[in-house]
Amino acid sequence: MKNSFRLLASTLVLPLALVIGPLSAQEKPQPVGADGPSPSNSLVRVNATLQAYNFLRPWEKGNPTPRRGLGALLSGGRVLVTAELVVNSTYIELELPTTGEKTPARIVGLDYEANLALLAPVDEKSQMLAKMVPFELDLTVKAPDTISVWQVEDNGDGVSTDLDVLRATVGEYFVSGSILLVYQVKGSLQYRANSFTLPAVRNNKLVGLLLSYDSKELTSSLLPAPIIQHFLDDLNDGKYDGFPSIGLGFAQTLDDQFRKFTGLEQVKGGVFVRNVAKEGSAAKAGIKEGDVIVKIAGKEIDSRGNYAHPIYGKLNFSHLVRGDAKVGDTLKFDLIRKGKPLTVDVKLERREPGSYLIDPYMFDRGPRYLIFGGLIFQELTRPYLESWGKDWPTRAPFNLVYSNANPEKYEQQGREKLVFLSQVLRTPATLGYENLNSIVVDKVDGKPIKSLADLADALNGVTLNGLHKIELEDYPRLIWVHDGVSRKVNDQLLGYGIGSLTRLE
């Protein structure tokens, strides 16, 4: 099993001796410079206090957790870090490595999909960063260039480690399913003074932020400067749009019989569209399941889904959509549909995570829930499933995992969110229902439940002989709860550690 880790204090697994050991052959001290960027005058320590919500007990928050990292100073007194460093933060401060001077910070730009955050002092008149030297970006790095990872010791001294760029590819940063450009680099790396979110430079220009390190293979993943530039340009226009998405899944067309079946016998390359997300850019443009994409923006797509990038060589076509293009751009897609050529114009959009039936991620806000008489209802989210740990696809409730992977049926029903009964507290209103959990709710008092707001409205409506009829997707299919008893139980629950019975926003 590989000894690998993300660059976060909470997941560091290297032995302490490796963290504070002597400089390796690739490491070299970096002097404090006054004329140009250096670790001591261009890097800022970032201290954050994080407090995530508890998705299994949605009325609670977890314990506060400290996290510490390094940020890269940019122009305008702004500090660039990964979003993962400040996720669910309740307090952030900036610290000068050389003097220890500190100031509270605020987030001025944030994108979890791109794993980037931009910080600035809360006090707009603060001069703490005024004498430091900001970085410029280097957008030209490619294999086999050599880059340097900068760190800062406890005493403020800078340390630089050289790494070699192996290739550019696409991969996940922080949010599952969000694919963007990645540099893969190689070289031995030691971590100094709990320095995480490590900046990488070349010729004193910022080339990216280190995301992860595999100590066995001596390889690292780097969030590259072109993605950072995309993020900064988007922020500078005053309205942040984020990175666009196409909203489709594809299959390679390497098999000759498959190519014959899809009408590609006389066509070079192309990928098969397996599925199209509802309300995504592809769906709105008219791309359908079974189509074959052969070109995007004039770039030929091979049978593996790659195109020829002028700098990086073969690269997955997702970079054409998410890296090179911006929200609002229109790209021409050349397709094969049922053996015939077709061209469509796709206007690129970005879907907010909250617009999905099942939120793919949820940070800085709590899960929606409603408690009624001891019945706990929630809207299904991927973070809820991930509460079962790394192996959640096999450990979380199977029916909910399946619903997350196959939401089409519920989308066709017109549901906005997937409401389910997550668990039942033992109360006088829930006798006999204590073992029920993880069941999707269909109707309450005959009203279809398309969101948690619908559920709240239904439970506040007229009852049949004082009883609410709750119809479920799975066994026992139907339960009854007494309105009056449930409301008395609600009053009691508020006195036993549950601060609020609902969170609908």
Side-chain angles (χ1 to χ4, degrees), residues 20 149 153 164 169 196 229 250 258 281 329 370 398 415 422 440 459 469 475 482 500:
I20 62 173
V149 173
E153 300 276 19
D164 297 322
T169 183
F196 306 98
Q229 187 68 65
F250 73 93
F258 185 59
S281 301
D329 288 351
L370 184 151
F398 172 79
R415 300 201 194 208
S422 63
V440 173
L459 292 175
K469 177 184 178 183
Y475 179 84
H482 194 279
S500 175

Side-chain angles (χ1 to χ4, degrees), residues 50-98:
L50 317 180
Q51 192 171 20
Y53 287 89
N54 187 332
F55 284 82
L56 298 181
R57 296 170 64 87
W59 57 91
E60 292 183 351
K61 272 190 165 187
N63 293 326
T65 304
R67 187 168 287 175
R68 196 181 197 195
L70 280 177
L73 182 67
L74 302 182
S75 62
R78 303 172 301 171
V79 177
L80 182 74
V81 296
T82 59
E84 196 171 3
L85 180 62
V86 296
V87 61
N88 296 315
S89 58
T90 57
Y91 178 74
I92 306 170
E93 69 179 10
L94 307 177
E95 177 185 345
L96 295 184
T98 51

Side-chain angles (χ1 to χ4, degrees), residues 128-149:
M128 193 182 87
L129 306 177
K131 294 183 179 180
M132 301 185 69
V133 181
F135 282 106
E136 295 179 2
L137 296 183
D138 181 351
L139 308 177
T140 64
V141 169
K142 62 182 184 301
D145 291 342
T146 297
I147 62 172
S148 299
V149 173

Side-chain angles (χ1 to χ4, degrees), residues 26 28 138 141-142 144-150 160-165 183-186 199-203 205 207-208 210 220 222:
Q26 289 180 297
K28 51 185 179 292
D138 181 351
V141 169
K142 62 182 184 301
D145 291 342
T146 297
I147 62 172
S148 299
V149 173
W150 282 3
S160 175
T161 307
D162 289 341
L163 302 177
D164 297 322
V165 179
Y183 294 159
Q184 291 187 345
V185 298
K186 188 174 182 67
V201 303
R202 185 181 69 155
N203 298 327
K205 291 185 178 182
V207 302
L210 214 64
S220 304
L222 190 74

Side-chain angles (χ1 to χ4, degrees), residues 218-430:
L218 301 183
T219 57
S220 304
S221 295
L222 190 74
L223 193 163
I227 299 300
I228 296 172
Q229 187 68 65
H230 190 300
F231 170 72
L232 296 175
D233 289 345
D234 199 345
L235 280 173
N236 287 339
D237 67 7
K239 177 181 178 294
Y240 189 74
D241 297 310
F243 288 73
S245 62
I246 186 63
L248 60 79
F250 73 93
Q252 297 180 349
T253 59
L254 299 170
D255 182 78
D256 289 339
Q257 293 301 317
F258 185 59
R259 293 185 66 83
K260 182 178 180 180
F261 170 76
T262 52
L264 295 178
E265 294 171 285
Q266 306 301 319
V267 179
K268 181 181 178 181
V271 291
F272 181 82
V273 177
R274 289 191 296 107
N275 55 70
V276 180
K278 182 182 179 182
E279 300 300 322
S281 301
K284 291 181 178 180
I287 295 178
K288 299 179 180 180
E289 294 179 14
D291 287 348
V292 177
I293 302 173
V294 293
K295 284 185 180 181
I296 300 176
K299 305 287 187 181
E300 292 185 354
I301 309 302
D302 69 19
S303 54
R304 287 183 169 84
N306 297 323
Y307 74 103
H309 190 280
I311 297 176
Y312 306 127
K314 287 188 177 181
L315 197 62
N316 186 273
F317 76 82
S318 64
H319 183 65
L320 277 172
V321 176
R322 305 210 73 201
D324 286 344
K326 299 178 180 179
V327 171
D329 288 351
T330 298
L331 299 183
K332 182 173 292 186
F333 278 59
D334 291 339
L335 312 173
I336 301 293
R337 178 176 295 171
K338 296 181 179 180
K340 297 181 179 181
L342 175 69
T343 299
V344 298
D345 290 329
V346 179
K347 184 176 181 180
L348 298 179
E349 300 179 355
R350 175 185 178 269
R351 289 187 67 182
E352 294 290 337
S355 70
Y356 290 87
L357 176 79
I358 299 169
D359 289 32
Y361 61 92
M362 184 179 290
F363 304 119
D364 305 318
R365 61 187 178 95
R368 297 187 181 98
Y369 70 94
L370 184 151
I371 302 175
F372 189 74
L375 302 174
I376 302 176
F377 300 95
Q378 292 183 243
E379 292 178 350
L380 183 61
T381 64
R382 183 180 172 111
Y384 176 86
L385 298 173
E386 291 174 344
S387 296
W388 268 263
K390 183 179 179 181
D391 299 326
W392 67 265
T394 57
R395 295 182 59 194
F398 172 79
N399 62 314
L400 299 182
V401 173
Y402 182 83
S403 297
N404 176 68
N406 302 276
E408 296 82 8
K409 177 183 75 171
Y410 302 107
E411 291 174 339
Q412 292 170 1
Q413 294 172 357
R415 300 201 194 208
E416 300 170 15
K417 296 292 179 182
L418 193 59
V419 177
F420 70 107
L421 177 64
S422 63
Q423 56 183 303
V424 179
L425 304 177
R426 185 186 296 270
T427 73
T430 62

